[in-house]
Amino acid sequence: MDGPPAHSDPSPVTPSPHQEASMASVPHGRGHRVRRLLDRWPTALALALSAVTFGGTGSDEAVASFASILVLLPLLYLVVAKLEARRATWPLLVVGLAGVVALRGLDVIEPAAVFSAVALIVLLWSVVDGHVFRSGTFRVQALGMLAFGALGLIGLAVHPDLGRYLVAAGWFFHGVWDFVHLRRDKVVARSFAEWCGVIDVVIAAELIFRW
């Protein structure tokens, strides 16, 4: 009579859910690093643009342009918060920058004055339809518009030497504003918040140290 087999094949071991989660969280080598680098394209774009424009902040006209854009940036946040459409962030930026170029080329009215008027219209619209009373996020953006807009406008009105430092402070703190929104993942597109935060800090440094 034959006895039981001396050896039997071991049953396959099924990893536990915890082991599967741990395995899934392990980076997959080179491909994972490439994906992480590609995810940082807004930072790369900001640094590339900064390198191209490096040294272009030395004139009073350049400071005036940066003062006008300082009014545009919080306006963009304000309009996106009003529309509640983060996908509109980049298109609005393109329209705003085109407006800066066109208005400064015509040299009829300061772009900052136009952006301030648009901000006033958006704020009045939000009061009329009650949005400002319903949305705490919108109220925060309204305060940001007032603070950064004031720095930009004052930077245009005072002596250029003082204006440079006020505009630099505005760009730096708007960079902080961007990174807070990036961290919280709110209001504007994440890619814009990252791009804008990097370029804001770089421009602030240029305004201070390239004079």
Side-chain angles (χ1 to χ4, degrees), residues 121-182:
I121 291 171
V122 174
L123 291 170
L124 291 175
W125 174 20
S126 300
V127 170
V128 171
D129 69 4
H131 191 195
V132 70
F133 305 111
R134 298 191 306 270
S135 173
T137 297
F138 183 83
R139 289 195 295 273
V140 171
Q141 302 312 314
L143 291 174
M145 181 71 238
L146 293 174
F148 293 114
L151 277 174
L153 293 173
I154 295 171
L156 285 168
V158 299
H159 189 277
D161 289 342
L162 175 58
R164 173 179 297 273
Y165 289 102
L166 291 175
V167 173
W171 277 82
F172 176 80
F173 286 112
H174 194 271
V176 175
W177 182 269
D178 290 318
F179 287 128
V180 170
H181 283 78
L182 174 63

Short mmCIF file of all heavy atoms in Angstrom, two decimals, residues 121-182:
data_model
loop_
_atom_site.label_atom_id
_atom_site.label_comp_id
_atom_site.label_asym_id
_atom_site.label_seq_id
_atom_site.Cartn_x
_atom_site.Cartn_y
_atom_site.Cartn_z
N ILE A 121 -16.03 96.61 -10.52
CA ILE A 121 -17.24 96.07 -11.16
C ILE A 121 -17.56 94.68 -10.62
O ILE A 121 -18.71 94.36 -10.29
CB ILE A 121 -17.06 96.03 -12.68
CG1 ILE A 121 -17.02 97.45 -13.25
CG2 ILE A 121 -18.18 95.23 -13.35
CD1 ILE A 121 -16.61 97.51 -14.71
N VAL A 122 -16.53 93.84 -10.50
CA VAL A 122 -16.74 92.48 -9.98
C VAL A 122 -17.24 92.52 -8.54
O VAL A 122 -18.15 91.77 -8.16
CB VAL A 122 -15.44 91.66 -10.08
CG1 VAL A 122 -15.61 90.29 -9.41
CG2 VAL A 122 -15.03 91.47 -11.54
N LEU A 123 -16.67 93.41 -7.74
CA LEU A 123 -17.09 93.52 -6.34
C LEU A 123 -18.53 94.01 -6.23
O LEU A 123 -19.33 93.49 -5.44
CB LEU A 123 -16.15 94.46 -5.58
CG LEU A 123 -14.73 93.93 -5.35
CD1 LEU A 123 -13.83 95.03 -4.80
CD2 LEU A 123 -14.75 92.73 -4.40
N LEU A 124 -18.90 95.03 -7.02
CA LEU A 124 -20.27 95.52 -7.01
C LEU A 124 -21.25 94.46 -7.49
O LEU A 124 -22.34 94.29 -6.93
CB LEU A 124 -20.37 96.78 -7.87
CG LEU A 124 -19.67 98.03 -7.33
CD1 LEU A 124 -19.75 99.17 -8.34
CD2 LEU A 124 -20.28 98.45 -5.99
N TRP A 125 -20.87 93.74 -8.53
CA TRP A 125 -21.69 92.65 -9.04
C TRP A 125 -21.93 91.61 -7.94
O TRP A 125 -23.06 91.12 -7.77
CB TRP A 125 -20.97 92.03 -10.24
CG TRP A 125 -21.59 90.79 -10.82
CD1 TRP A 125 -22.88 90.35 -10.68
CD2 TRP A 125 -20.93 89.83 -11.65
NE1 TRP A 125 -23.06 89.18 -11.38
CE2 TRP A 125 -21.88 88.84 -11.98
CE3 TRP A 125 -19.63 89.73 -12.15
CZ2 TRP A 125 -21.56 87.74 -12.78
CZ3 TRP A 125 -19.32 88.64 -12.95
CH2 TRP A 125 -20.28 87.66 -13.26
N SER A 126 -20.88 91.31 -7.16
CA SER A 126 -21.00 90.30 -6.11
C SER A 126 -21.85 90.78 -4.95
O SER A 126 -22.50 89.98 -4.26
CB SER A 126 -19.60 89.91 -5.62
OG SER A 126 -18.85 89.37 -6.68
N VAL A 127 -21.86 92.09 -4.71
CA VAL A 127 -22.74 92.63 -3.68
C VAL A 127 -24.19 92.56 -4.14
O VAL A 127 -25.08 92.16 -3.37
CB VAL A 127 -22.35 94.09 -3.36
CG1 VAL A 127 -23.41 94.74 -2.46
CG2 VAL A 127 -20.99 94.14 -2.68
N VAL A 128 -24.44 92.90 -5.39
CA VAL A 128 -25.80 92.91 -5.92
C VAL A 128 -26.40 91.51 -5.92
O VAL A 128 -27.57 91.31 -5.53
CB VAL A 128 -25.83 93.51 -7.35
CG1 VAL A 128 -27.20 93.31 -7.99
CG2 VAL A 128 -25.48 94.99 -7.29
N ASP A 129 -25.61 90.51 -6.36
CA ASP A 129 -26.18 89.15 -6.44
C ASP A 129 -26.00 88.36 -5.14
O ASP A 129 -26.38 87.20 -5.04
CB ASP A 129 -25.60 88.37 -7.62
CG ASP A 129 -24.13 88.02 -7.46
OD1 ASP A 129 -23.55 88.29 -6.40
OD2 ASP A 129 -23.55 87.46 -8.41
N GLY A 130 -25.38 88.99 -4.12
CA GLY A 130 -25.26 88.36 -2.81
C GLY A 130 -24.12 87.38 -2.67
O GLY A 130 -23.96 86.76 -1.61
N HIS A 131 -23.30 87.24 -3.71
CA HIS A 131 -22.21 86.26 -3.65
C HIS A 131 -21.22 86.59 -2.54
O HIS A 131 -20.70 85.69 -1.86
CB HIS A 131 -21.50 86.21 -5.00
CG HIS A 131 -20.54 85.06 -5.13
ND1 HIS A 131 -19.58 85.00 -6.12
CD2 HIS A 131 -20.38 83.93 -4.40
CE1 HIS A 131 -18.89 83.89 -5.98
NE2 HIS A 131 -19.36 83.23 -4.95
N VAL A 132 -20.95 87.85 -2.35
CA VAL A 132 -19.97 88.25 -1.34
C VAL A 132 -20.45 87.88 0.06
O VAL A 132 -19.62 87.66 0.97
CB VAL A 132 -19.70 89.77 -1.44
CG1 VAL A 132 -20.91 90.58 -0.99
CG2 VAL A 132 -18.47 90.16 -0.63
N PHE A 133 -21.74 87.78 0.27
CA PHE A 133 -22.27 87.42 1.59
C PHE A 133 -22.35 85.91 1.78
O PHE A 133 -22.36 85.43 2.92
CB PHE A 133 -23.67 88.03 1.77
CG PHE A 133 -23.70 89.52 1.56
CD1 PHE A 133 -24.35 90.06 0.46
CD2 PHE A 133 -23.07 90.37 2.45
CE1 PHE A 133 -24.38 91.44 0.25
CE2 PHE A 133 -23.08 91.75 2.24
CZ PHE A 133 -23.74 92.28 1.14
N ARG A 134 -22.39 85.16 0.68
CA ARG A 134 -22.51 83.71 0.77
C ARG A 134 -21.17 82.99 0.79
O ARG A 134 -21.07 81.89 1.32
CB ARG A 134 -23.31 83.16 -0.43
CG ARG A 134 -24.74 83.65 -0.51
CD ARG A 134 -25.52 82.84 -1.56
NE ARG A 134 -24.86 82.85 -2.86
CZ ARG A 134 -25.11 83.76 -3.81
NH1 ARG A 134 -25.97 84.74 -3.57
NH2 ARG A 134 -24.48 83.71 -4.97
N SER A 135 -20.14 83.59 0.22
CA SER A 135 -18.87 82.89 0.02
C SER A 135 -17.75 83.52 0.83
O SER A 135 -17.31 84.65 0.54
CB SER A 135 -18.52 82.89 -1.47
OG SER A 135 -17.23 82.36 -1.68
N GLY A 136 -17.26 82.78 1.83
CA GLY A 136 -16.10 83.25 2.58
C GLY A 136 -14.85 83.29 1.71
O GLY A 136 -14.01 84.17 1.87
N THR A 137 -14.74 82.35 0.78
CA THR A 137 -13.59 82.32 -0.13
C THR A 137 -13.54 83.59 -0.97
O THR A 137 -12.47 84.19 -1.15
CB THR A 137 -13.68 81.10 -1.05
OG1 THR A 137 -13.60 79.90 -0.26
CG2 THR A 137 -12.55 81.10 -2.06
N PHE A 138 -14.69 84.02 -1.46
CA PHE A 138 -14.72 85.23 -2.27
C PHE A 138 -14.34 86.45 -1.43
O PHE A 138 -13.62 87.34 -1.91
CB PHE A 138 -16.09 85.43 -2.90
CG PHE A 138 -16.16 86.63 -3.80
CD1 PHE A 138 -15.72 86.55 -5.11
CD2 PHE A 138 -16.63 87.86 -3.33
CE1 PHE A 138 -15.75 87.67 -5.95
CE2 PHE A 138 -16.67 88.97 -4.15
CZ PHE A 138 -16.23 88.87 -5.46
N ARG A 139 -14.79 86.49 -0.18
CA ARG A 139 -14.45 87.63 0.68
C ARG A 139 -12.94 87.70 0.90
O ARG A 139 -12.35 88.79 0.93
CB ARG A 139 -15.19 87.53 2.01
CG ARG A 139 -16.69 87.79 1.89
CD ARG A 139 -17.32 88.04 3.25
NE ARG A 139 -17.26 86.88 4.11
CZ ARG A 139 -18.18 85.91 4.13
NH1 ARG A 139 -19.22 85.97 3.31
NH2 ARG A 139 -18.07 84.90 4.96
N VAL A 140 -12.29 86.54 1.06
CA VAL A 140 -10.83 86.52 1.21
C VAL A 140 -10.16 87.09 -0.04
O VAL A 140 -9.21 87.88 0.05
CB VAL A 140 -10.34 85.09 1.49
CG1 VAL A 140 -8.81 85.02 1.43
CG2 VAL A 140 -10.82 84.62 2.86
N GLN A 141 -10.66 86.70 -1.21
CA GLN A 141 -10.08 87.21 -2.46
C GLN A 141 -10.32 88.71 -2.61
O GLN A 141 -9.48 89.43 -3.17
CB GLN A 141 -10.66 86.46 -3.66
CG GLN A 141 -10.45 84.95 -3.62
CD GLN A 141 -9.01 84.57 -3.30
OE1 GLN A 141 -8.07 85.14 -3.87
NE2 GLN A 141 -8.84 83.62 -2.38
N ALA A 142 -11.46 89.19 -2.12
CA ALA A 142 -11.73 90.63 -2.16
C ALA A 142 -10.72 91.38 -1.29
O ALA A 142 -10.21 92.44 -1.69
CB ALA A 142 -13.15 90.90 -1.69
N LEU A 143 -10.41 90.83 -0.12
CA LEU A 143 -9.40 91.47 0.74
C LEU A 143 -8.02 91.44 0.07
O LEU A 143 -7.27 92.41 0.15
CB LEU A 143 -9.35 90.74 2.09
CG LEU A 143 -10.59 90.92 2.99
CD1 LEU A 143 -10.46 90.04 4.23
CD2 LEU A 143 -10.76 92.38 3.39
N GLY A 144 -7.70 90.32 -0.58
CA GLY A 144 -6.44 90.24 -1.29
C GLY A 144 -6.36 91.26 -2.41
O GLY A 144 -5.32 91.88 -2.64
N MET A 145 -7.49 91.45 -3.11
CA MET A 145 -7.54 92.45 -4.18
C MET A 145 -7.26 93.84 -3.62
O MET A 145 -6.50 94.63 -4.20
CB MET A 145 -8.92 92.40 -4.84
CG MET A 145 -9.11 93.37 -6.00
SD MET A 145 -8.17 92.92 -7.46
CE MET A 145 -7.17 94.39 -7.70
N LEU A 146 -7.86 94.16 -2.50
CA LEU A 146 -7.66 95.47 -1.89
C LEU A 146 -6.22 95.67 -1.45
O LEU A 146 -5.62 96.73 -1.69
CB LEU A 146 -8.61 95.64 -0.70
CG LEU A 146 -10.11 95.71 -1.03
CD1 LEU A 146 -10.92 95.72 0.26
CD2 LEU A 146 -10.41 96.96 -1.86
N ALA A 147 -5.62 94.65 -0.83
CA ALA A 147 -4.26 94.79 -0.29
C ALA A 147 -3.23 94.88 -1.41
O ALA A 147 -2.43 95.83 -1.46
CB ALA A 147 -3.95 93.60 0.62
N PHE A 148 -3.24 93.91 -2.31
CA PHE A 148 -2.23 93.91 -3.38
C PHE A 148 -2.48 95.03 -4.39
O PHE A 148 -1.54 95.63 -4.91
CB PHE A 148 -2.21 92.55 -4.08
CG PHE A 148 -1.73 91.43 -3.21
CD1 PHE A 148 -2.58 90.40 -2.84
CD2 PHE A 148 -0.42 91.40 -2.74
CE1 PHE A 148 -2.14 89.36 -2.03
CE2 PHE A 148 0.03 90.37 -1.93
CZ PHE A 148 -0.84 89.35 -1.57
N GLY A 149 -3.76 95.31 -4.65
CA GLY A 149 -4.07 96.41 -5.55
C GLY A 149 -3.58 97.73 -5.00
O GLY A 149 -3.05 98.57 -5.75
N ALA A 150 -3.73 97.92 -3.69
CA ALA A 150 -3.26 99.16 -3.08
C ALA A 150 -1.74 99.29 -3.20
O ALA A 150 -1.22 100.38 -3.51
CB ALA A 150 -3.67 99.21 -1.62
N LEU A 151 -1.01 98.19 -2.99
CA LEU A 151 0.45 98.25 -3.11
C LEU A 151 0.86 98.61 -4.53
O LEU A 151 1.78 99.41 -4.74
CB LEU A 151 1.06 96.89 -2.72
CG LEU A 151 1.27 96.63 -1.24
CD1 LEU A 151 1.73 95.20 -1.02
CD2 LEU A 151 2.30 97.61 -0.67
N GLY A 152 0.17 98.02 -5.51
CA GLY A 152 0.49 98.32 -6.89
C GLY A 152 0.22 99.78 -7.24
O GLY A 152 1.05 100.45 -7.87
N LEU A 153 -0.94 100.28 -6.83
CA LEU A 153 -1.30 101.67 -7.15
C LEU A 153 -0.41 102.67 -6.43
O LEU A 153 0.00 103.68 -7.01
CB LEU A 153 -2.77 101.91 -6.81
CG LEU A 153 -3.79 101.14 -7.67
CD1 LEU A 153 -5.19 101.33 -7.12
CD2 LEU A 153 -3.71 101.61 -9.12
N ILE A 154 -0.11 102.40 -5.16
CA ILE A 154 0.78 103.30 -4.41
C ILE A 154 2.17 103.26 -5.02
O ILE A 154 2.86 104.29 -5.13
CB ILE A 154 0.81 102.92 -2.92
CG1 ILE A 154 -0.57 103.14 -2.29
CG2 ILE A 154 1.87 103.74 -2.18
CD1 ILE A 154 -0.69 102.61 -0.88
N GLY A 155 2.61 102.07 -5.45
CA GLY A 155 3.92 101.95 -6.08
C GLY A 155 4.04 102.79 -7.34
O GLY A 155 5.12 103.27 -7.67
N LEU A 156 2.93 102.99 -8.04
CA LEU A 156 2.92 103.84 -9.22
C LEU A 156 2.92 105.32 -8.86
O LEU A 156 3.41 106.15 -9.63
CB LEU A 156 1.69 103.53 -10.08
CG LEU A 156 1.71 102.24 -10.89
CD1 LEU A 156 0.32 101.94 -11.44
CD2 LEU A 156 2.73 102.32 -12.01
N ALA A 157 2.34 105.66 -7.71
CA ALA A 157 2.13 107.07 -7.37
C ALA A 157 3.32 107.72 -6.68
O ALA A 157 3.52 108.93 -6.80
CB ALA A 157 0.89 107.20 -6.47
N VAL A 158 4.12 106.92 -5.94
CA VAL A 158 5.20 107.51 -5.16
C VAL A 158 6.48 107.60 -6.01
O VAL A 158 6.50 107.20 -7.17
CB VAL A 158 5.47 106.67 -3.89
CG1 VAL A 158 4.23 106.64 -3.01
CG2 VAL A 158 5.91 105.25 -4.26
N HIS A 159 7.53 108.12 -5.40
CA HIS A 159 8.83 108.22 -6.07
C HIS A 159 9.29 106.82 -6.51
O HIS A 159 9.12 105.85 -5.76
CB HIS A 159 9.86 108.84 -5.12
CG HIS A 159 11.15 109.18 -5.79
ND1 HIS A 159 12.15 108.24 -5.99
CD2 HIS A 159 11.60 110.35 -6.32
CE1 HIS A 159 13.17 108.82 -6.61
NE2 HIS A 159 12.87 110.10 -6.83
N PRO A 160 9.87 106.70 -7.71
CA PRO A 160 10.26 105.38 -8.21
C PRO A 160 11.14 104.57 -7.27
O PRO A 160 11.02 103.34 -7.22
CB PRO A 160 11.01 105.72 -9.52
CG PRO A 160 10.40 107.00 -9.97
CD PRO A 160 10.09 107.77 -8.71
N ASP A 161 12.03 105.23 -6.54
CA ASP A 161 12.90 104.48 -5.62
C ASP A 161 12.09 103.79 -4.53
O ASP A 161 12.33 102.62 -4.20
CB ASP A 161 13.92 105.42 -4.98
CG ASP A 161 14.98 105.88 -5.96
OD1 ASP A 161 15.12 105.22 -7.02
OD2 ASP A 161 15.64 106.90 -5.71
N LEU A 162 11.13 104.50 -3.95
CA LEU A 162 10.25 103.91 -2.94
C LEU A 162 9.28 102.93 -3.60
O LEU A 162 9.00 101.86 -3.06
CB LEU A 162 9.48 105.01 -2.20
CG LEU A 162 8.43 104.54 -1.19
CD1 LEU A 162 9.07 103.67 -0.11
CD2 LEU A 162 7.71 105.74 -0.57
N GLY A 163 8.78 103.31 -4.77
CA GLY A 163 7.83 102.45 -5.47
C GLY A 163 8.40 101.08 -5.76
O GLY A 163 7.70 100.07 -5.68
N ARG A 164 9.69 101.03 -6.11
CA ARG A 164 10.34 99.75 -6.40
C ARG A 164 10.23 98.80 -5.20
O ARG A 164 9.91 97.61 -5.35
CB ARG A 164 11.80 100.00 -6.76
CG ARG A 164 12.65 98.74 -6.92
CD ARG A 164 14.08 99.11 -7.28
NE ARG A 164 14.09 99.79 -8.56
CZ ARG A 164 14.14 99.17 -9.73
NH1 ARG A 164 14.18 97.85 -9.76
NH2 ARG A 164 14.17 99.85 -10.86
N TYR A 165 10.47 99.32 -4.00
CA TYR A 165 10.43 98.46 -2.81
C TYR A 165 9.00 98.05 -2.47
O TYR A 165 8.75 96.92 -2.02
CB TYR A 165 11.10 99.17 -1.63
CG TYR A 165 12.59 99.28 -1.79
CD1 TYR A 165 13.18 100.48 -2.18
CD2 TYR A 165 13.41 98.18 -1.57
CE1 TYR A 165 14.55 100.58 -2.35
CE2 TYR A 165 14.79 98.27 -1.73
CZ TYR A 165 15.36 99.46 -2.13
OH TYR A 165 16.71 99.55 -2.30
N LEU A 166 8.06 98.96 -2.67
CA LEU A 166 6.66 98.61 -2.41
C LEU A 166 6.17 97.53 -3.39
O LEU A 166 5.50 96.57 -2.98
CB LEU A 166 5.77 99.85 -2.54
CG LEU A 166 5.94 100.92 -1.45
CD1 LEU A 166 5.09 102.15 -1.78
CD2 LEU A 166 5.54 100.35 -0.09
N VAL A 167 6.53 97.69 -4.66
CA VAL A 167 6.13 96.70 -5.66
C VAL A 167 6.82 95.36 -5.39
O VAL A 167 6.21 94.29 -5.50
CB VAL A 167 6.45 97.21 -7.07
CG1 VAL A 167 6.20 96.12 -8.12
CG2 VAL A 167 5.60 98.44 -7.38
N ALA A 168 8.10 95.41 -5.00
CA ALA A 168 8.82 94.18 -4.67
C ALA A 168 8.15 93.45 -3.50
O ALA A 168 7.98 92.23 -3.52
CB ALA A 168 10.27 94.49 -4.34
N ALA A 169 7.76 94.23 -2.47
CA ALA A 169 7.07 93.63 -1.32
C ALA A 169 5.75 92.99 -1.76
O ALA A 169 5.40 91.89 -1.32
CB ALA A 169 6.82 94.68 -0.25
N GLY A 170 5.03 93.69 -2.66
CA GLY A 170 3.78 93.14 -3.16
C GLY A 170 3.97 91.84 -3.90
O GLY A 170 3.23 90.87 -3.69
N TRP A 171 4.99 91.77 -4.76
CA TRP A 171 5.26 90.54 -5.51
C TRP A 171 5.67 89.41 -4.57
O TRP A 171 5.24 88.26 -4.73
CB TRP A 171 6.34 90.78 -6.55
CG TRP A 171 5.80 91.37 -7.81
CD1 TRP A 171 5.50 92.69 -8.05
CD2 TRP A 171 5.45 90.68 -9.02
NE1 TRP A 171 5.00 92.85 -9.32
CE2 TRP A 171 4.97 91.64 -9.94
CE3 TRP A 171 5.52 89.35 -9.41
CZ2 TRP A 171 4.55 91.30 -11.22
CZ3 TRP A 171 5.11 89.00 -10.69
CH2 TRP A 171 4.63 89.97 -11.58
N PHE A 172 6.50 89.73 -3.58
CA PHE A 172 6.93 88.67 -2.65
C PHE A 172 5.75 88.10 -1.87
O PHE A 172 5.58 86.87 -1.79
CB PHE A 172 7.98 89.22 -1.67
CG PHE A 172 8.39 88.21 -0.63
CD1 PHE A 172 9.30 87.21 -0.94
CD2 PHE A 172 7.85 88.25 0.64
CE1 PHE A 172 9.66 86.27 0.01
CE2 PHE A 172 8.20 87.31 1.60
CZ PHE A 172 9.12 86.31 1.28
N PHE A 173 4.93 88.99 -1.31
CA PHE A 173 3.82 88.50 -0.50
C PHE A 173 2.74 87.85 -1.37
O PHE A 173 2.02 86.96 -0.90
CB PHE A 173 3.25 89.62 0.36
CG PHE A 173 4.13 89.98 1.52
CD1 PHE A 173 4.78 91.20 1.57
CD2 PHE A 173 4.32 89.07 2.55
CE1 PHE A 173 5.61 91.51 2.63
CE2 PHE A 173 5.16 89.37 3.62
CZ PHE A 173 5.81 90.60 3.66
N HIS A 174 2.65 88.27 -2.63
CA HIS A 174 1.72 87.55 -3.50
C HIS A 174 2.25 86.14 -3.79
O HIS A 174 1.45 85.21 -3.98
CB HIS A 174 1.48 88.30 -4.81
CG HIS A 174 0.29 87.78 -5.56
ND1 HIS A 174 0.38 86.75 -6.47
CD2 HIS A 174 -1.03 88.11 -5.49
CE1 HIS A 174 -0.83 86.48 -6.95
NE2 HIS A 174 -1.69 87.28 -6.36
N GLY A 175 3.57 85.99 -3.82
CA GLY A 175 4.13 84.65 -3.95
C GLY A 175 3.75 83.77 -2.77
O GLY A 175 3.40 82.60 -2.93
N VAL A 176 3.81 84.35 -1.57
CA VAL A 176 3.35 83.61 -0.38
C VAL A 176 1.87 83.26 -0.52
O VAL A 176 1.44 82.13 -0.21
CB VAL A 176 3.59 84.44 0.90
CG1 VAL A 176 3.02 83.73 2.11
CG2 VAL A 176 5.08 84.73 1.08
N TRP A 177 1.09 84.21 -0.99
CA TRP A 177 -0.35 84.00 -1.24
C TRP A 177 -0.56 82.81 -2.19
O TRP A 177 -1.41 81.95 -1.95
CB TRP A 177 -0.91 85.29 -1.84
CG TRP A 177 -2.36 85.35 -2.14
CD1 TRP A 177 -2.97 85.03 -3.32
CD2 TRP A 177 -3.41 85.83 -1.28
NE1 TRP A 177 -4.32 85.27 -3.25
CE2 TRP A 177 -4.61 85.76 -2.02
CE3 TRP A 177 -3.43 86.31 0.02
CZ2 TRP A 177 -5.84 86.15 -1.47
CZ3 TRP A 177 -4.64 86.70 0.57
CH2 TRP A 177 -5.83 86.63 -0.17
N ASP A 178 0.24 82.76 -3.25
CA ASP A 178 0.15 81.65 -4.21
C ASP A 178 0.44 80.32 -3.55
O ASP A 178 -0.30 79.33 -3.75
CB ASP A 178 1.15 81.86 -5.36
CG ASP A 178 0.77 83.00 -6.28
OD1 ASP A 178 -0.42 83.13 -6.61
OD2 ASP A 178 1.66 83.77 -6.67
N PHE A 179 1.50 80.27 -2.77
CA PHE A 179 1.89 78.98 -2.17
C PHE A 179 0.86 78.51 -1.13
O PHE A 179 0.65 77.31 -0.96
CB PHE A 179 3.27 79.10 -1.53
CG PHE A 179 4.39 79.16 -2.54
CD1 PHE A 179 5.34 80.18 -2.49
CD2 PHE A 179 4.48 78.22 -3.55
CE1 PHE A 179 6.36 80.25 -3.42
CE2 PHE A 179 5.51 78.27 -4.50
CZ PHE A 179 6.45 79.30 -4.43
N VAL A 180 0.23 79.45 -0.45
CA VAL A 180 -0.85 79.08 0.48
C VAL A 180 -2.01 78.45 -0.29
O VAL A 180 -2.56 77.42 0.10
CB VAL A 180 -1.33 80.30 1.29
CG1 VAL A 180 -2.61 79.96 2.06
CG2 VAL A 180 -0.25 80.76 2.26
N HIS A 181 -2.36 79.06 -1.43
CA HIS A 181 -3.45 78.51 -2.23
C HIS A 181 -3.05 77.18 -2.88
O HIS A 181 -3.90 76.28 -3.03
CB HIS A 181 -3.87 79.51 -3.30
CG HIS A 181 -4.71 80.63 -2.77
ND1 HIS A 181 -4.18 81.70 -2.08
CD2 HIS A 181 -6.06 80.83 -2.80
CE1 HIS A 181 -5.15 82.52 -1.71
NE2 HIS A 181 -6.30 82.02 -2.13
N LEU A 182 -1.78 77.04 -3.23
CA LEU A 182 -1.31 75.76 -3.75
C LEU A 182 -1.42 74.68 -2.68
O LEU A 182 -1.88 73.56 -2.95
CB LEU A 182 0.15 75.90 -4.21
CG LEU A 182 0.85 74.61 -4.67
CD1 LEU A 182 0.17 74.03 -5.90
CD2 LEU A 182 2.33 74.89 -4.95
#
